[in-house]
Amino acid sequence: MRIAVISESFLPTVNGVTTSVCRVLDHLAATGHEAIVICPDASAPTEYAGFPVHQMPSIAYRQFPVGLPSPQVQRILTRFAPDVLHAASPFLLGAQGIAAANRLGVPSVAIYQTDVAGFARRNGLGMTSAIAWKYVRWVHDGADLTLVPSSASEYDLRSAGVHRLERWGRGVDLERYHPNNRRGRRARDLREQLSPDGELVVGYVGRIAPEKQVERLRSLKGMRDVHLAIVGDGPARSAVAAALRGVPTTWLGRLGGDDLAAAYAAFDLFVHTGSEETFGQTVQEAHASGIPVVAPRAGGPIDLVDHGTDGLLYPSGDDGALRAAVGMLVADTPLRLRMGEAGRRAVLGRSWDVVCDQLLRHYETVILDRVEAVQRFDIERAYS
């Protein structure tokens, strides 16, 4: 197949959208398909996994490049003649890509990854929320199929009137994120830094931004023998650091690759704070690393955390319940270990190869459906 991937985010920006796009491209290369990438930001690489990358004009918003519509999009698609368009978290650039694909008779698959409703609620944008959902519906109605990562996001889209939905989650690197990493030098050295006196390490991994609600970890203040470790950076770091005064905390900054895997391995448990996640990739990485997860009963984590088996879900926005959940795991080592083992078992069938093979089947479905639709149209026209 020939796949055109149009993404609202790509390298050097690192986030969930970029990670999933890169994994998809890696799989396409490994399985012998052809692809191109269309993305914002002139600082993006010119190729990835052997596939050409086309950079579109963009503007900066909250440290992210936002792609702008450009006549180049249709010209690039026309030259490449893809069998299918993959639109990752479509907004401005992705919407243009879907529209261009429709003009060219190319089927498209849209990947929903942004919680519009949660963003609007958090910012008190009542009227703007309704307008945003109308735009989301317009964008996704243009695609042949929209893939949603969780039951929560499927509910949001169906409620907004978006149809043609299927579930598609995200994969996790089961080799990089592994309980055996605890015995590695990186993890042992980090553990000595974070827990010099035997403290239990509560870890957080993610962007430090308002929607991530990392400041809720202030609820751990005064908890004995607990040390907080935060991996990540972002525009809300100063505000979060102020909120966490009095909580023993080590800021590890942005980490990736083996350094990130070692950080997970140095944690005793993982806390996810945001209530607006459409999926929750760091939850999967924590489970793959063999540690239990504490997360709000909202968004993607509802599908990823089996409450009482591999972690604990607390009512969203209830800081007291967050503290109680962490305290329960801190106090019960056997329970913590059992939940960590259960988390590892839960993700064993979610490797990126498995998940990307599912995506290829979705591609094949929309291609076949488009061919059949054209054939039906030709037959109806012949008999009209």
Side-chain angles (χ1 to χ4, degrees):
M1 280 186 286
R2 294 169 64 83
I3 300 98
V5 177
I6 186 163
S7 179
E8 301 293 343
S9 177
F10 198 61
L11 299 172
T13 301
V14 178
N15 54 31
V17 175
T18 299
T19 297
S20 61
V21 167
C22 288
R23 288 296 192 168
V24 168
L25 293 170
D26 290 338
H27 192 73
L28 293 178
T31 50
H33 298 280
E34 296 180 61
I36 60 170
V37 180
I38 301 173
C39 66
D41 193 0
S43 61
T46 57
E47 70 170 42
Y48 180 87
F51 301 134
V53 176
H54 301 273
Q55 302 97 338
M56 296 295 108
S58 64
I59 58 173
Y61 174 70
R62 294 181 63 199
Q63 302 182 355
F64 283 112
V66 176
L68 301 175
S70 167
Q72 297 179 58
V73 171
Q74 178 144 347
R75 290 199 291 267
I76 291 167
L77 293 177
T78 301
R79 288 197 302 268
F80 182 63
D83 296 307
V84 64
L85 176 82
H86 172 125
S89 194
F91 184 52
L92 297 178
L93 193 58
Q96 186 190 13
I98 291 171
N102 283 329
R103 287 193 292 271
L104 296 170
V106 175
S108 57
V109 174
I111 315 298
Y112 179 74
Q113 289 183 255
T114 303
D115 182 2
V116 174
F119 178 86
R121 283 193 302 269
R122 177 171 48 80
N123 289 279
L125 304 176
M127 182 64 71
T128 304
S129 174
I131 296 172
W133 276 119
K134 286 182 180 179
Y135 182 77
V136 169
R137 184 170 62 247
W138 174 75
V139 171
H140 287 272
D141 275 349
D144 292 68
L145 178 66
T146 291
L147 299 180
V148 295
S150 65
S151 56
S153 55
E154 181 176 0
Y155 174 81
D156 282 345
L157 286 180
R158 288 197 186 281
S159 298
V162 179
H163 306 290
R164 301 191 302 274
L165 303 176
E166 294 287 346
R167 289 280 291 278
W168 181 65
R170 303 292 179 268
V172 62
D173 190 332
L174 297 172
E175 295 180 5
R176 169 161 283 163
Y177 303 107
H178 198 287
N180 288 344
N181 290 336
R182 295 172 189 160
R183 298 195 291 267
R185 174 57 63 85
R186 278 191 179 98
R188 287 189 285 113
D189 289 347
L190 181 57
R191 180 77 190 188
E192 290 178 6
Q193 174 189 344
L194 299 175
S195 177
D197 298 313
E199 300 92 337
L200 288 179
V201 181
V202 176
Y204 168 85
V205 176
R207 192 162 182 261
I208 314 302
E211 65 271 16
K212 301 299 184 180
Q213 303 172 49
V214 188
E215 66 278 359
R216 294 198 175 278
L217 293 172
R218 64 183 171 235
S219 63
L220 304 184
K221 186 175 181 178
M223 190 172 288
R224 296 182 59 187
D225 300 322
V226 166
H227 191 92
L228 178 63
I230 296 180
V231 176
D233 203 352
R237 171 164 176 168
S238 296
V240 172
L244 295 181
R245 288 195 187 104
V247 180
T249 304
T250 297
W251 292 82
L252 297 172
R254 294 179 182 175
L255 297 178
D258 292 341
D259 290 331
L260 178 56
Y264 280 112
F267 299 160
D268 291 293
L269 62 106
F270 179 82
V271 178
H272 177 79
T273 51
S275 59
E276 300 167 14
E277 298 293 333
T278 56
F279 188 65
Q281 181 65 5
T282 56
V283 171
Q284 287 202 137
E285 291 168 354
H287 274 158
S289 302
I291 56 176
V293 172
V294 173
R297 192 182 294 275
I302 293 175
D303 299 323
L304 299 177
V305 178
D306 185 355
H307 180 71
T309 300
D310 52 35
L312 297 171
L313 295 170
Y314 61 90
S316 178
D318 189 335
D319 289 353
L322 165 58
R323 179 186 176 91
V326 171
M328 179 177 175
L329 292 176
V330 166
D332 194 335
T333 298
L335 176 63
R336 198 169 60 245
L337 295 177
R338 286 198 304 272
M339 285 188 171
E341 292 171 0
R344 174 69 186 181
R345 290 194 300 270
V347 297
L348 289 179
R350 301 183 201 158
S351 71
W352 275 107
D353 283 344
V354 168
V355 170
C356 287
D357 281 341
Q358 294 169 354
L359 179 63
L360 291 177
R361 290 193 288 273
H362 286 304
Y363 290 163
E364 292 165 354
T365 296
V366 297
I367 291 170
L368 180 60
D369 287 348
R370 181 65 72 102
V371 170
E372 292 177 346
V374 170
Q375 290 174 341
R376 285 195 301 270
F377 176 78
D378 289 342
I379 292 171
E380 291 170 359
R381 187 173 59 178
Y383 284 93
S384 61

